Short mmCIF file of all heavy atoms in Angstrom, two decimals:
data_model
loop_
_atom_site.label_atom_id
_atom_site.label_comp_id
_atom_site.label_asym_id
_atom_site.label_seq_id
_atom_site.Cartn_x
_atom_site.Cartn_y
_atom_site.Cartn_z
N THR L 282 -27.97 -43.83 -21.58
CA THR L 282 -27.34 -43.49 -22.86
C THR L 282 -27.30 -41.97 -23.05
O THR L 282 -26.30 -41.41 -23.43
CB THR L 282 -28.15 -44.12 -24.02
OG1 THR L 282 -28.32 -45.48 -23.75
CG2 THR L 282 -27.42 -43.94 -25.33
N THR L 295 -9.10 -34.38 -19.16
CA THR L 295 -8.29 -33.83 -18.08
C THR L 295 -8.89 -34.11 -16.71
O THR L 295 -8.37 -33.64 -15.72
CB THR L 295 -8.16 -32.31 -18.25
OG1 THR L 295 -9.48 -31.77 -18.29
CG2 THR L 295 -7.43 -31.96 -19.51
N LEU L 315 -24.65 -30.41 -23.61
CA LEU L 315 -25.68 -29.90 -24.52
C LEU L 315 -27.08 -30.02 -23.91
O LEU L 315 -27.32 -30.87 -23.05
CB LEU L 315 -25.64 -30.68 -25.84
CG LEU L 315 -24.32 -30.63 -26.60
CD1 LEU L 315 -24.46 -31.37 -27.93
CD2 LEU L 315 -23.89 -29.19 -26.86
N GLU L 339 -45.64 -9.97 -26.73
CA GLU L 339 -46.65 -9.99 -27.80
C GLU L 339 -45.98 -9.76 -29.16
O GLU L 339 -46.25 -10.47 -30.13
CB GLU L 339 -47.69 -8.90 -27.53
CG GLU L 339 -48.79 -8.81 -28.58
CD GLU L 339 -49.75 -7.67 -28.29
OE1 GLU L 339 -49.31 -6.50 -28.16
OE2 GLU L 339 -50.95 -7.94 -28.17
N LEU L 357 -38.57 -22.43 -50.05
CA LEU L 357 -39.41 -22.65 -51.23
C LEU L 357 -38.81 -21.95 -52.45
O LEU L 357 -38.79 -22.52 -53.56
CB LEU L 357 -40.81 -22.09 -50.94
CG LEU L 357 -42.00 -22.62 -51.75
CD1 LEU L 357 -42.09 -24.13 -51.70
CD2 LEU L 357 -43.29 -21.97 -51.24
N PRO L 426 -46.21 -22.35 -63.96
CA PRO L 426 -47.34 -21.60 -63.37
C PRO L 426 -47.64 -22.02 -61.93
O PRO L 426 -47.98 -21.19 -61.09
CB PRO L 426 -48.51 -21.94 -64.31
CG PRO L 426 -47.86 -22.30 -65.61
CD PRO L 426 -46.58 -22.98 -65.24
N ARG L 434 -49.14 -17.56 -53.19
CA ARG L 434 -50.00 -17.94 -52.05
C ARG L 434 -49.22 -17.81 -50.74
O ARG L 434 -49.75 -17.35 -49.72
CB ARG L 434 -50.48 -19.38 -52.21
CG ARG L 434 -51.50 -19.54 -53.31
CD ARG L 434 -52.64 -20.46 -52.88
NE ARG L 434 -53.61 -20.56 -53.96
CZ ARG L 434 -53.87 -21.69 -54.62
NH1 ARG L 434 -53.29 -22.80 -54.28
NH2 ARG L 434 -54.76 -21.69 -55.59
N LYS L 452 -50.82 -0.47 -31.95
CA LYS L 452 -51.62 -0.34 -30.72
C LYS L 452 -50.73 -0.35 -29.48
O LYS L 452 -50.98 0.37 -28.52
CB LYS L 452 -52.63 -1.48 -30.63
CG LYS L 452 -53.88 -1.23 -31.47
CD LYS L 452 -54.93 -2.32 -31.22
CE LYS L 452 -55.92 -2.33 -32.37
NZ LYS L 452 -56.32 -3.66 -32.78
N GLY L 457 -40.37 0.27 -32.98
CA GLY L 457 -39.24 -0.39 -33.64
C GLY L 457 -39.70 -1.55 -34.50
O GLY L 457 -39.31 -1.68 -35.68
N ASP L 465 -39.54 -2.32 -44.10
CA ASP L 465 -38.68 -3.35 -44.71
C ASP L 465 -39.47 -4.56 -45.19
O ASP L 465 -39.32 -4.99 -46.33
CB ASP L 465 -37.62 -3.81 -43.69
CG ASP L 465 -36.67 -2.70 -43.32
OD1 ASP L 465 -35.90 -2.28 -44.17
OD2 ASP L 465 -36.73 -2.24 -42.16
N PHE L 476 -43.36 -8.75 -58.99
CA PHE L 476 -42.42 -9.39 -59.92
C PHE L 476 -42.86 -10.81 -60.28
O PHE L 476 -42.64 -11.25 -61.41
CB PHE L 476 -41.00 -9.40 -59.32
CG PHE L 476 -40.22 -8.17 -59.68
CD1 PHE L 476 -40.47 -6.95 -59.07
CD2 PHE L 476 -39.22 -8.22 -60.64
CE1 PHE L 476 -39.76 -5.81 -59.40
CE2 PHE L 476 -38.50 -7.08 -60.99
CZ PHE L 476 -38.77 -5.87 -60.37
#
Side-chain angles (χ1 to χ4, degrees):
T282 308
T295 56
L315 301 183
E339 180 182 56
L357 202 54
R434 289 222 179 116
K452 279 186 199 140
D465 295 292
F476 270 75

